[in-house]
Amino acid sequence: MHTFCMSDNKNKSHSLTDRYGRTVDYIRLSVTDRCDFRCVYCMGENMKFLPHEQVLTLEELEQVAAAFVGLGVRKIKLTGGEPLVRRDVIKLIQSLGQLDAELSITTNGSQLTEMAPALRQAGVNRLNISIDSLQESRFREMTRIGKLPKVLAGIDEAIVQGFDRIKLNAVIMKGRNDDEILDLVHFAREKGVDVSFIEEMPLGVISEHDRADVYCSSDEVKAVIESHYPLHATTEKTAGPSRYYRMSDCESRVGFISPHSHNFCSECNRVRVTVEGRLLLCLGNEHSVDLRETLRAFPNDQSRLQDVIVKAMDLKPEKHEFDLEDEPQIVRFMNMTGG
Ligand code: SAM
Ligand code: SF4
């Protein structure tokens, strides 16, 4: 794999700052739109995936990451789709592990029994593992395909590998898995990992359920947890939008990602790059710039790529608005966006 030469970098002095004074130091890089699950809130049942030529190559993904790190980005999260189903993803991770940035991955956990050791060795610091249910049949319903025992074994393997931090992510839907909130907290405590609860976002048009009907606010989830474990707000921040709480008797933290009820836009420090090389300035808006065009027209010209990225910061909108009652304004699915 071509290693992007940092001496190509003309050492752009700018860090990435948008019109609202927010510094962008975190990117979410989608490495594939494909996935071995079809979670009901994320995808339709029959998905069409991108043809290969539209997808950034591993070398192009590496160039994008290096360009951002040259501009002051210090956190890279690999996502998708399911990042671990991309062929040769370990090679990419090994090269990103050499960059001066914290590297994390968001995964559905299906490949971790085999891949967790290689991820750790390649320099992955943190893992986010999505798990919405601890009941086998329900897990299958919510993911349409996933096998819970395999994911549980993957979580155990990840714990053995000693990542700096492991966080479980659960999207809570009323009438589907809201009766498992405490079970998920117990599980996180038992395993000594963090857990975040996510409000479902209206990304992509789905027919499986009405998003307004299943909406469960973070405040409702928090109240359920507090009936058992008092939660103490912390000022601890990770790079992401979670608000964190601690319980008095354990190390596990409880986080809430609340795009509806606690808008986090004013603190937004991140941008996303889709696997087609579209730099998305906001999860809930369509403002974007095509990086693939530059990557392919001017191969290995990091300086030019960085100029495009710096200019794009002016497009970052102030905030998103999600409306559960109307048709989704954002028609791309979460697997395209890179959650
Ligand atoms: N496949 C990996 C996984 O599931 O962790 C990474 C990609 S997935 C798109 C990233 C995160 O987005 C997951 O935690 C998933 O639960 C969440 N997600 C997907 N669709 C969502 C939606 N409509 N609203 C809120 N979260 C969503
Ligand atoms: Fe796949 Fe993750 Fe979307 Fe589920 S949430 S369908 S695992 S990309």
Side-chain angles (χ1 to χ4, degrees):
M1 162 172 261
H2 168 83
T3 304
F4 202 77
C5 179
M6 290 309 280
S7 63
D8 295 346
N9 181 1
K10 303 275 186 302
N11 274 330
K12 304 264 166 214
S13 53
H14 8 240
S15 61
L16 293 174
T17 307
D18 74 0
R19 287 174 299 155
Y20 304 96
R22 296 172 297 192
T23 299
V24 170
D25 58 7
Y26 176 16
I27 56 166
R28 295 194 178 195
L29 190 56
S30 175
V31 304
T32 180
D33 61 328
R34 289 162 199 257
C35 187
D36 51 347
F37 291 3
R38 297 282 183 281
C39 301
V40 294
Y41 47 74
C42 176
M43 290 193 183
E45 195 155 15
N46 299 308
M47 294 289 288
K48 253 185 130 175
F49 296 109
L50 292 166
H52 286 294
E53 62 281 7
Q54 285 183 30
V55 165
L56 295 189
T57 63
L58 296 181
E59 288 76 10
E60 288 167 340
L61 286 165
E62 189 190 345
Q63 289 175 31
V64 169
F68 273 100
V69 171
L71 290 168
V73 161
R74 288 294 166 263
K75 300 199 173 171
I76 301 174
K77 174 168 286 173
L78 300 186
T79 181
E82 173 48 41
L84 301 185
V85 302
R86 170 110 194 219
R87 191 185 308 163
D88 290 336
V89 72
I90 292 287
K91 283 193 198 156
L92 172 70
I93 293 168
Q94 281 165 343
S95 80
L96 299 190
Q98 309 291 313
L99 296 172
D100 183 16
E102 183 191 277
L103 187 57
S104 66
I105 299 189
T106 297
T107 172
N108 63 23
S110 68
Q111 312 296 312
L112 283 176
T113 46
E114 297 83 22
M115 292 178 79
L119 296 178
R120 188 63 185 128
Q121 275 159 28
V124 172
N125 307 99
R126 291 167 183 252
L127 275 188
N128 288 353
I129 308 172
S130 301
I131 181 162
D132 302 318
S133 172
L134 296 166
Q135 299 174 16
E136 210 169 326
S137 59
R138 184 181 285 175
F139 184 86
R140 193 178 180 83
E141 269 166 38
M142 288 188 73
T143 59
R144 291 197 182 100
I145 298 176
K147 294 197 172 70
L148 180 65
K150 181 79 172 133
V151 172
L152 293 178
I155 292 173
D156 285 339
E157 183 58 41
I159 291 169
V160 168
Q161 294 305 319
F163 290 92
D164 298 347
R165 200 120 218 166
I166 295 177
K167 180 163 75 89
L168 309 177
N169 279 335
V171 175
I172 298 297
M173 296 162 69
K174 220 167 241 174
R176 296 293 281 263
N177 63 345
D178 58 333
D179 57 345
E180 286 194 68
I181 295 167
L182 277 178
D183 291 346
L184 285 160
V185 174
H186 294 318
F187 180 74
R189 288 167 57 95
E190 207 180 282
K191 298 287 177 189
V193 301
D194 295 340
V195 58
S196 275
F197 294 98
I198 307 176
E199 291 176 352
E200 184 183 357
M201 288 173 252
L203 299 179
V205 179
I206 53 164
S207 54
E208 201 265 351
H209 58 275
D210 183 330
R211 286 183 152 131
D213 288 349
V214 301
Y215 172 63
C216 188
S217 74
S218 294
D219 286 349
E220 290 171 271
V221 177
K222 183 161 169 274
V224 171
I225 301 170
E226 292 210 288
S227 68
H228 226 79
Y229 302 108
L231 292 176
H232 309 287
T234 79
T235 48
E236 294 165 67
K237 284 293 295 170
T238 59
S242 270
R243 295 173 291 127
Y244 278 107
Y245 293 79
R246 279 195 179 275
M247 295 167 276
S248 53
D249 60 345
C250 75
E251 280 301 302
S252 297
R253 296 180 301 178
V254 178
F256 298 97
I257 302 176
S258 323
H260 296 283
S261 57
H262 293 263
N263 186 298
F264 39 68
C265 300
S266 63
E267 297 161 27
C268 184
N269 62 340
R270 70 209 74 104
V271 292
R272 293 171 164 79
V273 181
T274 72
V275 74
E276 291 176 282
R278 194 171 152 214
L279 169 57
L280 271 176
L281 282 308
C282 171
L283 175 65
N285 282 288
E286 293 292 2
H287 307 68
S288 70
V289 168
D290 183 2
L291 300 183
R292 188 181 63 195
E293 199 176 36
T294 306
L295 279 163
R296 294 195 176 164
F298 306 96
N300 297 326
D301 187 343
Q302 189 178 64
S303 185
R304 193 180 288 260
L305 186 60
Q306 288 180 324
D307 284 340
V308 174
I309 294 169
V310 169
K311 275 204 198 92
M313 291 303 121
D314 282 349
L315 297 178
K316 190 166 166 63
E318 188 179 7
K319 58 184 178 173
H320 67 249
E321 309 278 356
F322 284 140
D323 185 346
L324 286 172
E325 302 302 333
D326 282 346
E327 284 297 298
Q329 291 163 355
I330 304 296
V331 291
R332 65 187 136 76
F333 283 99
M334 192 63 146
N335 72 306
M336 287 301 300
T337 306

